[in-house]
Amino acid sequence: MTHGLTEITVVGDDDTGLIAEVTSLLFERGINIEDLDQAVREGVFRMTMHVDTAEMVTTEGKLREDLHELGEELGVDVQVRFPADRETQSIAVLVTKESHCLEALFEAWANGDLGADIEVVIGNHDDLEPLAEKYDVPFHDIGDEKGTPDEDRLLELLGEYEVDLVVLARYMRILSPDVVFRYESRIINVHPSLLPAFPGASAYMQAIEEGVRIAGVTAHYVTTDLDQGPIITQRAFNVPDDATEADLQRIGQPLEAEALVEAIGLHLDDEVTVHRGRTKLRDPDETDAQLGAPEVLDDANPDRPIDGLGEFVADEPEPEADD
């Protein structure tokens, strides 16, 4: 979330005049729009605004009420998040059957290292319900017998628990635009490859089949484009000769958990920002975060030769073109 600004998200059917209606309401209440972004995907309209409410001529409660009433008139869903809604942020964790990332999140939370509260675990299977029960966290199974999730129920739960951040801890389902648009830049996933290589299913097997010598994992923000959201943290590892998919899972899963937990911490502490699809540290001198490979790798890499810096070869100016 942008420093000190209120976030307003509008999601619904695409229709003429939506933007004008909302922006007019804000203007009438002395609210300045600092940033506005909109998109349409699969017939779903999304508008996200970051606005300055410091000098608005209304209260937070009345602004929420007015925007919700306008949303009902227009047939859209309007969410408002003020920058200081609560001191401790709320996390919902989405899971399927793999436990390693959820276990790492619970351990970080129990040790006081997470920086937020895990309010609910939501699965499309019930395999990990015992792990949630161990930490006394509510678990909701929203999947049918085939694991197909009920996204209407998912949205109900995210609203019920007033979720600030959605974490996909090896959740093996693609979220629809209806969910992603409502939680723009507030959904973090971990993928078992060095994205953009090997997106989608069976990433470790894809790495083996392509014969790569270095594989890895990536924690990234979720967008409506599968496994193409802004990258937050990555880890890499060597692929052993004759490695099986199980071998890479054994190597990669601890790194998946590590990259995911660190990405969550960076997001919660507002240490990472996104510009033109690329993340960067907001204050790199104030953190020891490891977005990519360890610095020791940079120290181990050779620093020469480089074109034009040799003893006998130097850059020469290109010849000028004839008139």
Side-chain angles (χ1 to χ4, degrees), residues 258-274:
E258 179 183 281
L260 180 61
V261 170
E262 183 162 19
I264 291 168
L266 290 168
H267 173 88
L268 293 172
D269 294 338
D270 203 21
E271 290 189 59
V272 65
T273 182
V274 180

Side-chain angles (χ1 to χ4, degrees), residues 94 151 154 166 168 171 173-177 179-180 187 222-223:
L94 273 57
E151 285 203 340
L154 171 60
V166 180
L168 309 187
Y171 180 66
R173 289 285 175 169
I174 298 173
L175 295 175
S176 74
V179 176
V180 175
I187 307 175
V222 172
T223 65

Side-chain angles (χ1 to χ4, degrees), residues 13-29:
D13 293 334
D14 190 18
D15 199 5
T16 304
L18 283 174
I19 298 175
E21 292 280 359
V22 177
T23 55
S24 295
L25 184 151
L26 298 177
F27 177 77
E28 292 169 359
R29 287 152 182 78

Side-chain angles (χ1 to χ4, degrees), residues 314-320:
D315 286 331
E316 295 182 0
E318 295 184 4
E320 295 183 3

Side-chain angles (χ1 to χ4, degrees), residues 2-322:
T2 304
H3 275 302
L5 297 178
T6 296
E7 181 181 88
I8 299 173
T9 305
V10 180
V11 178
D13 293 334
D14 190 18
D15 199 5
T16 304
L18 283 174
I19 298 175
E21 292 280 359
V22 177
T23 55
S24 295
L25 184 151
L26 298 177
F27 177 77
E28 292 169 359
R29 287 152 182 78
I31 297 170
N32 188 47
I33 299 173
E34 300 289 344
D35 179 69
L36 187 153
D37 182 63
Q38 60 176 312
V40 178
R41 182 60 61 91
E42 298 178 17
V44 180
F45 169 83
R46 185 270 302 164
M47 176 173 64
T48 302
M49 293 180 289
H50 292 101
V51 303
D52 186 353
T53 55
E55 298 182 4
M56 66 180 179
V57 290
T58 186
T59 64
E60 291 185 0
K62 188 65 169 63
L63 178 62
R64 283 187 190 276
E65 180 182 336
D66 291 345
L67 283 170
H68 288 162
E69 288 181 357
L70 178 62
E72 290 179 358
E73 293 176 10
L74 299 175
V76 296
D77 178 51
V78 182
Q79 296 183 358
V80 185
R81 296 182 70 239
F82 292 98
D85 264 359
R86 60 170 67 87
E87 291 184 5
T88 303
Q89 296 189 64
S90 168
I91 292 177
V93 185
L94 273 57
V95 299
T96 296
K97 295 183 177 183
E98 295 182 25
S99 64
H100 57 284
C101 285
L102 179 60
E103 186 174 357
L105 288 169
F106 276 142
E107 289 179 356
W109 182 40
N111 294 333
D113 297 329
L114 193 58
D117 286 332
I118 300 176
E119 296 288 348
V120 61
V121 177
I122 304 170
N124 64 316
H125 292 281
D126 63 2
D127 296 56
L128 300 185
E129 185 171 5
L131 183 56
E133 290 178 347
K134 174 184 175 182
Y135 287 89
D136 198 26
V137 173
F139 183 96
H140 297 269
D141 179 7
I142 61 168
D144 62 15
E145 63 278 0
K146 295 182 179 179
T148 303
D150 181 345
E151 285 203 340
D152 289 337
R153 179 57 178 152
L154 171 60
L155 287 171
E156 288 178 3
L157 289 168
L158 296 179
E160 177 183 333
Y161 286 95
E162 298 184 345
V163 169
D164 295 300
L165 178 66
V166 180
V167 175
L168 309 187
R170 301 299 291 133
Y171 180 66
M172 307 304 288
R173 289 285 175 169
I174 298 173
L175 295 175
S176 74
D178 209 33
V179 176
V180 175
F181 279 166
R182 283 172 167 80
Y183 292 88
E184 191 84 7
S185 299
R186 290 192 283 140
I187 307 175
I188 295 177
N189 180 45
V190 64
H191 184 76
S193 80
L194 288 174
L195 291 174
F198 314 133
S202 303
Y204 286 141
M205 182 54 69
Q206 291 183 62
I208 292 171
E209 291 172 347
E210 293 297 329
V212 300
R213 304 305 307 184
I214 298 175
V217 305
T218 303
H220 65 97
Y221 286 113
V222 172
T223 65
T224 53
D225 296 313
L226 178 63
D227 294 332
Q228 296 183 44
I231 292 169
I232 309 173
T233 56
Q234 292 186 301
R235 300 290 185 270
F237 59 87
N238 289 317
V239 178
D241 291 336
D242 302 320
T244 65
E245 185 176 23
D247 292 332
L248 295 198
Q249 288 175 340
R250 186 167 55 252
I251 300 170
Q253 286 181 351
L255 294 176
E256 292 171 27
E258 179 183 281
L260 180 61
V261 170
E262 183 162 19
I264 291 168
L266 290 168
H267 173 88
L268 293 172
D269 294 338
D270 203 21
E271 290 189 59
V272 65
T273 182
V274 180
H275 179 65
R276 294 183 177 178
R278 181 181 176 87
T279 59
K280 64 178 182 179
L281 294 172
R282 194 180 298 278
D283 297 305
D285 295 335
E286 301 298 323
T287 181
D288 57 357
Q290 178 185 323
L291 298 187
E295 290 184 3
V296 66
L297 181 62
D298 294 333
D299 297 335
N301 287 335
D303 60 1
R304 64 177 309 281
I306 299 173
D307 282 352
L309 297 183
E311 182 177 354
F312 299 104
V313 180
D315 286 331
E316 295 182 0
E318 295 184 4
E320 295 183 3
D322 294 334

